[in-house]
Amino acid sequence: MEKYSLIEIIGQGSFGRALLVYCKNTEHKYVLKEIQLPQQNSRCESTRREAVLLSKMRHANIVAFREFFEDGNLLCIVMEHCSGGDLLQRIQRQQKKPFPVDNIFKWFAQMCAGAKHIHDKRVLHRDLKTKNIFLTENGTIKLGDFGSACVLNSSKAYAQTYVGTPYYVAPEIWDNQPYNNKSDVWSLGCVLYELCTLQHPFQAPSWKRLILKVCRGAYPPLPKHLPYELHYLLKHMFKTEPRDRPSLHTILTSHRVSKLLRSHLQPEAWESTGQERRGRRLQRWDPEQGEEVTRRLGEKSLVHTATSQDTEWAHSESCEAPHRKQWSPSHTVLQRLSNARLQSADTGSSSDQGRAAEEPEEPGGAQQNRRRREWSREPAQRLLRVLEEAPVHRAFSTFIIHRAGAEAEAGAEAGAGGEAGAEAGAGAGAGGEAGKGGVCQQQEDHTDGLTAEDVDEERLQQRSDDDDTDFEEEQPCDWMGELENMFAAA
Ligand SMILES: Nc1ncnc2c1ncn2[C@@H]1O[C@H](COP(=O)(O)OP(=O)(O)OP(=O)(O)O)[C@@H](O)[C@H]1O
């Protein structure tokens, strides 16, 4: 710590301070994130996870990691300082003046390149939003805040899961489906929309209407003067079915707009997305590496997996996971919410009055016949009851959901998490938003498990977007239980 001197405190996150510091050795400024120890486990883990993941993500469009250490009762991560601030601040500074289209393409291409790099390492960011995307002094995009990310490679199922920031969360998450690589794509669609309009695509005065809009993919159209490519991109990124959404790989390689996007990328950003590896048979991620990462992250780490994840990864081109076949994200929640709307109106809920006329009905009775994953846990009444009085501004916060068995059993069976999650929410108590803690031991920064630049050759080849939904969490989270606890506690 002695080698850093404090310049200023640049922010107070939900778990600790972010400091702008000066390093006497390198004569550079850095951001130092600190967390008080001991605290509750989850935030501590989140910080450690951020450090470990960040340390292994070397890419022109990802915040560069410097070091990770403990100093007394502080856990510290030192990282690149992005002096342009975050995109949320940048958007706010525009004061309704639109960004030049070239800027939009450049920034979007860079965030896709950074996110693709993450996905190529089988990591999901899970909290992509304007607040977590930074700009350097020269206007280069850097993805940051890996505190919510997860690695999909351990052979065990792990103790904690996550829902994201509701305003940026994809429809499948509201339908208790697993987070997957396309969920990150949805979130980036929200960011792209904000760059285009300076507005969030899914604005609503209540949670219920927010969720309905998200599940329908119903966003106000972009202004007509914006180029066709932006309209086209958003239309695809906001497909409510993950399988219909392009992956980042597709967006940057074989989508109608790929060439245009790539023209906005510096060669080093493009090369480090893995394209330079085309044609070379690459080593598949070794499951043992996932174990190693898990061990280093600690027993309660936020690492999700399938029990047969290595097989799934190896055969992701040809094998559809069973739950993937069952995906029909928005229909379940829409139908439940629609039914509940009537019940809610019957019981005299004022906030539901008149909404039926405003919200478009689900098109096509034929969709009712689609295969549907049963939403077995909570009827929509519960959702409505929870959300009815909840302040919608909280939908911009990051939520972390705890699973049952988090404290005792890191290796809980995959698939058990959904039902158990409701109790886990109660057990977690502290309620939703990031800001947990716990005693944590120092971890060596020895994370070889994440170093493999392992991209399957097949993944570089063109595929349908359906096949392109190539990895996902195995255990959907009980965000509703968590919301219930959070709002009950408020
Ligand atoms: N690498 C960075 N470069 C420049 N500013 C940063 C960097 N990392 C974080 N910040 C800024 O520091 C502040 C605190 O960030 P931090 O990630 O600690 O918390 P947060 O994102 O505000 O909240 P949360 O804890 O819920 O994630 C924010 O204003 C953020 O924009």
Side-chain angles (χ1 to χ4, degrees):
M1 190 73 168
E2 308 78 49
K3 59 186 167 189
Y4 298 105
S5 54
L6 176 67
I7 300 175
E8 61 173 320
I9 299 169
I10 55 172
Q12 179 75 44
S14 48
F15 64 96
R17 300 186 304 174
L19 312 174
L20 180 61
V21 296
Y22 177 78
C23 176
K24 294 151 205 165
N25 300 348
T26 62
E27 302 185 342
H28 276 101
K29 292 177 187 171
Y30 300 97
V31 167
L32 187 152
K33 283 198 193 182
E34 58 178 28
I35 175 175
Q36 289 279 341
L37 300 175
Q39 282 194 351
Q40 294 164 356
N41 280 330
S42 64
R43 184 37 107 174
C44 182
E45 283 308 320
S46 159
T47 307
R48 181 178 290 125
R49 180 173 51 254
E50 178 169 12
V52 172
L53 290 176
L54 208 50
S55 71
K56 296 302 158 193
M57 299 294 166
R58 294 195 187 88
H59 187 273
N61 301 116
I62 294 177
V63 171
F65 171 88
R66 181 167 164 75
E67 65 173 320
F68 172 47
F69 60 90
E70 288 188 13
D71 179 53
N73 65 341
L74 288 178
L75 186 62
C76 305
I77 315 178
V78 184
M79 63 186 81
E80 174 182 13
H81 173 231
C82 303
S83 58
D86 61 52
L87 267 187
L88 178 63
Q89 296 163 343
R90 187 72 186 77
I91 287 170
Q92 285 165 349
R93 279 210 305 274
Q94 283 303 105
Q95 298 191 324
K96 300 196 175 155
K97 183 169 170 264
F99 287 117
V101 166
D102 259 12
N103 259 32
I104 298 175
F105 278 124
K106 185 180 95 178
W107 287 345
F108 179 69
Q110 291 179 354
M111 59 186 86
C112 285
K116 179 181 180 302
H117 181 77
I118 300 170
H119 285 186
D120 284 348
K121 287 180 176 292
R122 302 209 74 209
V123 170
L124 302 173
H125 187 285
R126 303 194 301 177
D127 202 14
L128 288 167
K129 55 181 175 180
T130 51
K131 199 163 177 272
N132 290 339
I133 300 174
F134 298 93
L135 283 166
T136 63
E137 193 174 12
N138 70 9
T140 301
I141 286 285
K142 303 270 177 173
L143 305 186
D145 205 337
F146 282 72
S148 304
C150 75
V151 188
L152 297 165
N153 272 91
S154 166
S155 63
K156 290 178 181 173
Y158 282 85
Q160 188 185 44
T161 193
Y162 165 82
V163 66
T165 297
Y167 262 110
Y168 292 83
V169 153
E172 60 269 20
I173 310 304
W174 291 116
D175 207 29
N176 281 346
Q177 303 292 339
Y179 202 102
N180 64 91
N181 56 321
K182 304 292 186 70
S183 317
D184 273 349
V185 171
W186 176 280
S187 305
L188 280 182
C190 295
V191 174
L192 175 60
Y193 187 94
E194 285 182 76
L195 292 179
C196 293
T197 64
L198 310 179
Q199 307 274 339
H200 197 275
F202 305 103
Q203 294 192 45
S206 69
W207 283 76
K208 178 184 157 189
R209 297 187 72 191
L210 171 66
I211 295 166
L212 281 167
K213 280 185 175 177
V214 168
C215 290
R216 290 182 169 130
Y219 61 96
L222 289 182
K224 286 218 168 63
H225 71 268
L226 286 171
Y228 163 77
E229 286 85 353
L230 290 172
H231 291 259
Y232 184 83
L233 259 172
L234 279 171
K235 187 174 144 202
H236 286 86
M237 294 177 83
F238 285 149
K239 293 278 186 193
T240 53
E241 289 276 354
R243 71 185 69 182
D244 298 334
R245 239 174 272 153
S247 69
L248 291 163
H249 173 87
T250 300
I251 288 174
L252 285 174
T253 58
S254 54
H255 205 250
R256 201 176 285 196
V257 296
S258 304
K259 223 169 150 185
L260 175 68
L261 291 177
R262 288 205 308 269
S263 70
H264 289 274
L265 286 177
Q266 297 293 331
E268 69 269 18
W270 178 235
E271 280 160 14
S272 52
T273 62
Q275 296 312 297
E276 80 281 12
R277 292 172 169 268
R278 184 186 285 277
R280 186 143 60 98
R281 179 68 207 171
L282 296 167
Q283 186 194 3
R284 182 166 63 79
W285 184 291
D286 180 351
E288 283 174 18
Q289 292 175 336
E291 294 283 355
E292 172 66 4
V293 173
T294 301
R295 194 178 66 73
R296 300 211 175 270
L297 286 171
E299 283 199 338
K300 301 178 196 66
S301 72
L302 197 159
V303 180
H304 298 276
T305 184
T307 45
S308 58
Q309 46 75 37
D310 46 342
T311 312
E312 183 182 341
W313 176 242
H315 301 290
S316 61
E317 305 304 310
S318 54
C319 300
E320 244 189 338
H323 53 259
R324 201 176 293 155
K325 283 182 188 158
Q326 295 173 328
W327 251 337
S328 60
S330 41
H331 305 296
T332 314
V333 74
L334 280 175
Q335 192 189 39
R336 302 269 183 178
L337 281 172
S338 299
N339 292 341
R341 183 167 51 211
L342 295 173
Q343 290 161 6
S344 181
D346 285 348
T347 55
S349 162
S350 59
S351 63
D352 272 319
Q353 304 292 340
R355 293 242 177 94
E358 293 170 44
E359 301 287 355
E361 288 307 315
E362 179 80 4
Q367 285 170 338
Q368 305 289 332
N369 297 327
R370 285 204 203 184
R371 292 183 63 187
R372 179 174 299 164
R373 180 185 169 118
E374 194 55 31
W375 193 11
S376 57
R377 288 181 283 287
E378 299 86 4
Q381 291 95 308
R382 182 177 170 208
L383 174 62
L384 285 174
R385 184 166 45 76
V386 172
L387 298 181
E388 196 85 0
E389 303 300 328
V392 74
H393 69 84
R394 299 197 81 159
F396 276 112
S397 311
T398 300
F399 288 79
I400 293 180
I401 307 298
H402 295 262
R403 274 187 200 293
E407 302 309 312
E409 180 61 79
E413 293 289 348
E419 297 278 5
E423 284 89 61
E433 286 171 284
K436 309 12 183 243
V439 181
C440 53
Q441 277 112 49
Q442 181 155 19
Q443 300 284 310
E444 287 174 71
D445 182 22
H446 177 225
T447 51
D448 293 343
L450 275 172
T451 56
E453 304 242 326
D454 40 4
V455 182
D456 275 346
E457 189 177 271
E458 292 83 356
R459 299 190 72 229
L460 301 177
Q461 291 164 8
Q462 196 166 337
R463 294 163 284 176
S464 74
D465 289 335
D466 189 357
D467 293 338
D468 226 5
T469 308
D470 37 25
F471 57 95
E472 64 198 19
E473 281 184 317
E474 281 301 306
Q475 298 180 325
C477 53
D478 179 39
W479 51 268
M480 217 196 310
E482 185 68 14
L483 288 176
E484 199 165 37
N485 285 320
M486 190 183 87
F487 296 127

